[in-house]
Amino acid sequence: MLLDARSISDGETLTADVCIVGAGAAGITLAMELLATGLTIIVLEAGGKSKAGPSQGLYQGELNDPVRHLPLDQARYRQLGGTTSLWGGRCIPFDSLDFDQREWISHSGWPFPQKEIDGYYRRAHSYCECGEYDYRVSTALPGAPPSMLPGFEDGDVNTSGIERWSPPTQFGKVYRPILTRADNLRVLLHALAVELQPSSDGKRIDSVDVATFSGRRFTVRAHTTVLAGGGLETTRLLLASRRVHREGIGNHSDWLGRGYMSHIHGVIASVTLTAGQDVMFGYEADPQGVFCRRRIAFSEEAQRRHRLLNLYMLLDRPLVGDPGHGNAVLSAAFLLKRLLGGRQQEELGKGKYSLYWRHIKNILAGSPQALSVLPKFGRKRLLQRRRIPSLLMRSRSNTYYLYFQSEQVPHRDNRVMLDDARDEFDMPRLRLHFEVTEQDRQSVQRAHELIDQELRRQNCGYLTYLENDVSQLMRDVKAVLGHHIGTTRMSADPSQGVVDEQCRVHGVANLFVASSSVFPTSSHANPTLTIVAMALRLADHLKAIHSGVTRV
């Protein structure tokens, strides 16, 4: 059932078998999986049923580089369903290599191999509604042309893989009816976990202190506590709970908050292809109607040989805001976005009216094309539950932007810390130190060189950098939106991380973390699908604990 925490009496103590802090993708997946066990479950959600309310402001914090990383209160959201309410829906599993210890990447290696999570990825597909667990063109898209680029053969560079797209699934909306009907579950909305209270020896969590904006405070006591509040807030709660663990719960190794990763992304080059109109660059639907898109990746052997960080690339459309593309559809999409409240007009500077006029001229010159394409796209984007992810236009010149998304190395100096400033509940706000390392940049630059070499070798095309100074282009790359990874890293050795291979905080018997913050490395892939898979894995572990099969 769904309850408003503001109705709980001040000073009351609630009890449950399991307390889950956070009702995003991880928290809801855990709750859904545990319902059938008969365990009593309390889920604490800081936001409301469909809005964050004043709780969103608690995300605010300090940031060392606002150019390369979004402010901390953006690209994540407090409500039932968490940030899945903002999620675009991209689903890609991590590769086998991501789980290995790679000698060219410090602190790499997961405490278990990919094969241990494969079955959970399959189950995660059901929660994310992204079709079959199949990422090969040959089997996922039967009857489709086998190659992205006609005549191109996979080797060091592969084009036969795909990404899948969720509708996107807003977990709070899709799974709310089940959560509402469950008798053994209480989802408390507007409930802010403000401190974890350990036992006197620090080896267990006795309770969770909860606050509301109505001024009431209460306590939740549970046999097992799971932190599923996202990478930054989970870390903040652990760091701020210092009554017994003076440096924060789980900070025995000095890794808590360290090793922060996102993904770096952007466009530094275009690629001109010789394959004509046969290039497969747009969205395709699988037999179940799931949108898929082909991507460019490097083989495991090539990554090892060239000491690359994992990354993928996409053939992308021209930048919508640049009228130089001469495309009526893209110009219409740009102006509509401005009209409907895109970026602030001031960002366009004094030349904005000239820019608008150039876009209008594109529309006037190609209005029949815009009128034929935009209504169809609008229906697929706005009127269907399984919406097309974005507007893509085939290039008349056969030149495409080469979008990349790359993992980052887990560097100890990239970290989340507590700030001196405090929020309305006297919790320290967060301070994030984020840098793109030279290894991050060099890997992306080397990957572009290899793509160019392989295209030329196979007579399929060539790459052109957007500017002559490639090193400057690389200095301008940014972090991807809300990918908050690595700050409670998983390790078999307690001295090398925060949680163990079962996502239990080292040294604390009944405290677990369900978040991308446990990922030791970030792969190239968006984290949501793997978050759900890891939550399913943790759910099975908790079922075994509470059934007596596994000892805590």
Side-chain angles (χ1 to χ4, degrees):
M1 65 187 75
L2 267 61
L3 301 170
D4 191 323
R6 294 170 293 190
S7 66
I8 305 297
S9 299
D10 193 44
E12 188 172 347
T13 297
L14 307 180
T15 60
D17 293 313
V18 180
C19 176
I20 301 171
V21 179
I28 287 179
T29 298
L30 272 169
M32 293 278 291
E33 287 292 308
L34 296 176
L35 284 179
T37 64
L39 295 170
T40 54
I41 307 161
I42 289 177
V43 178
L44 303 175
E45 170 51 50
K49 185 164 62 176
S50 59
K51 293 182 180 179
S55 181
Q56 185 70 13
L58 302 178
Y59 278 153
Q60 293 175 5
E62 290 298 315
L63 183 63
N64 71 306
D65 189 350
V67 172
R68 290 173 181 79
H69 196 289
L70 280 178
L72 300 188
D73 60 343
Q74 295 184 22
R76 54 187 180 135
Y77 201 66
R78 290 188 185 228
Q79 69 166 70
L80 185 66
T83 304
T84 64
S85 62
L86 307 176
W87 183 38
R90 177 178 274 127
C91 292
I92 315 173
F94 284 20
D95 297 326
S96 178
L97 183 64
D98 294 319
F99 294 79
D100 293 347
Q101 199 283 320
R102 292 169 280 174
E103 66 273 11
W104 64 98
I105 301 177
S106 298
H107 312 299
S108 62
W110 291 47
F112 57 83
Q114 186 209 38
K115 64 182 180 181
E116 187 173 316
I117 200 174
D118 263 352
Y120 296 110
Y121 270 131
R122 294 182 188 279
R123 289 165 57 185
H125 272 232
S126 177
Y127 275 95
C128 294
E129 303 177 290
C130 57
E132 299 294 327
Y133 180 44
D134 186 352
Y135 288 83
R136 303 297 299 175
V137 169
S138 58
T139 50
L141 301 172
S147 178
M148 174 191 283
L149 312 175
F152 187 91
E153 295 183 1
D154 283 357
D156 282 358
V157 177
N158 299 320
T159 68
S160 57
I162 61 170
E163 60 185 22
R164 289 179 167 272
W165 287 81
S166 171
T169 303
Q170 295 184 16
F171 277 57
K173 183 181 295 185
V174 171
Y175 299 112
R176 186 168 67 205
I178 298 174
L179 301 176
T180 301
R181 292 193 301 266
D183 293 331
N184 57 325
L185 168 69
R186 286 172 286 177
V187 179
L188 303 182
L189 303 174
H190 307 291
L192 295 96
V194 293
E195 190 171 359
L196 303 174
Q197 296 294 351
S199 57
S200 58
D201 61 6
K203 294 182 178 181
R204 295 185 63 85
I205 297 300
D206 284 342
S207 62
V208 181
D209 290 348
V210 187
T212 69
F213 275 95
S214 66
R216 297 181 181 180
R217 291 185 176 245
F218 60 93
T219 298
V220 176
R221 291 185 177 272
H223 180 277
T224 300
T225 299
V226 183
L227 306 184
L232 297 183
E233 290 306 295
T234 290
T235 307
R236 180 189 184 198
L237 184 57
L238 288 168
L239 284 168
S241 299
R242 297 190 166 195
R243 296 200 182 189
V244 176
H245 301 268
R246 296 303 181 188
E247 300 301 320
I249 298 173
N251 206 15
H252 50 275
S253 61
D254 193 33
W255 268 105
L256 181 60
R258 294 185 182 271
Y260 175 80
M261 298 164 282
S262 181
H263 295 102
I264 55 172
H265 73 143
V267 176
I268 66 169
S270 64
V271 58
T272 301
L273 304 170
T274 60
Q277 297 302 303
D278 295 327
V279 176
M280 302 299 296
F281 83 102
Y283 295 104
E284 302 167 70
D286 75 0
Q288 290 76 44
V290 175
F291 284 111
C292 304
R293 192 177 178 193
R294 306 191 191 206
R295 56 193 176 96
I296 302 168
F298 288 87
S299 69
E300 179 177 319
E301 197 280 327
Q303 290 183 56
R304 292 188 182 278
R305 180 161 23 97
H306 296 287
R307 303 172 73 84
L308 297 176
L309 302 176
N310 204 353
L311 85 164
Y312 74 89
M313 297 182 179
L314 300 169
L315 298 181
D316 213 352
R317 56 168 167 71
L319 301 176
V320 174
D322 179 6
H325 50 61
N327 189 289
V329 177
L330 296 180
S331 286
F334 170 80
L335 293 178
L336 280 172
K337 185 176 182 180
R338 289 294 173 270
L339 184 65
L340 295 174
R343 296 190 183 201
Q344 293 297 314
Q345 305 288 358
E346 290 74 15
E347 294 183 23
L348 300 175
K350 294 182 179 179
K352 63 181 179 181
Y353 297 112
S354 172
L355 178 69
Y356 292 159
W357 176 239
R358 292 173 65 194
H359 280 293
I360 291 171
K361 288 197 293 185
N362 284 345
I363 295 171
L364 293 174
S367 55
Q369 181 193 25
L371 290 173
S372 66
V373 172
L374 285 177
K376 183 179 179 181
F377 171 75
R379 288 193 298 272
K380 290 184 175 180
R381 178 71 177 176
L382 302 174
L383 301 180
Q384 299 178 177
R385 180 172 180 270
R386 189 173 290 282
R387 70 188 193 193
I388 192 166
S390 65
L391 175 62
L392 296 176
M393 298 293 297
R394 187 173 295 279
S395 169
R396 294 177 180 176
S397 64
N398 227 25
T399 296
Y400 295 89
Y401 281 89
L402 193 60
Y403 172 86
F404 73 86
Q405 180 168 298
S406 173
E407 76 172 314
Q408 290 190 277
V409 294
H411 197 286
R412 280 179 57 86
D413 291 343
N414 276 349
R415 62 182 300 198
V416 171
M417 300 161 281
L418 297 181
D419 196 29
D420 292 335
R422 292 179 175 263
D423 66 18
E424 293 91 320
F425 298 93
D426 202 35
M427 279 191 74
R429 292 190 181 273
L430 283 183
R431 184 157 44 95
L432 174 62
H433 180 87
F434 173 81
E435 293 182 7
V436 179
T437 71
E438 188 61 25
Q439 184 177 357
D440 298 336
R441 296 189 183 95
Q442 288 297 324
S443 176
V444 172
Q445 189 169 338
R446 179 59 176 150
H448 281 74
E449 294 168 356
L450 294 171
I451 291 280
D452 185 45
Q453 291 172 15
E454 195 61 21
L455 288 171
R456 292 176 187 272
R457 187 184 71 81
Q458 298 197 37
N459 295 317
C460 287
Y462 58 88
L463 183 147
T464 304
Y465 290 104
L466 300 186
E467 295 178 10
N468 292 329
D469 189 348
V470 180
S471 60
Q472 181 59 52
L473 288 170
M474 286 308 308
R475 283 194 290 273
D476 292 338
V477 300
K478 300 178 181 180
V480 175
L481 300 177
H483 298 183
H484 307 136
I485 301 169
T487 48
T488 64
R489 68 190 330 262
M490 182 168 38
S491 65
D493 181 350
S495 69
Q496 297 301 311
V498 177
V499 304
D500 66 15
E501 56 268 37
Q502 298 298 340
C503 296
R504 180 182 64 87
V505 173
H506 285 296
V508 185
N510 64 339
L511 180 61
F512 296 82
V513 176
S515 164
S516 56
S517 63
V518 306
F519 300 174
T521 49
S522 62
S523 179
H524 64 304
N526 292 40
T528 303
L529 181 66
T530 303
I531 289 171
V532 174
M534 289 291 289
L536 290 166
R537 181 176 178 269
L538 175 56
D540 279 1
H541 182 66
L542 295 182
K543 292 174 190 176
I545 289 175
H546 284 272
S547 67
V549 174
T550 299
R551 295 185 64 185
V552 178

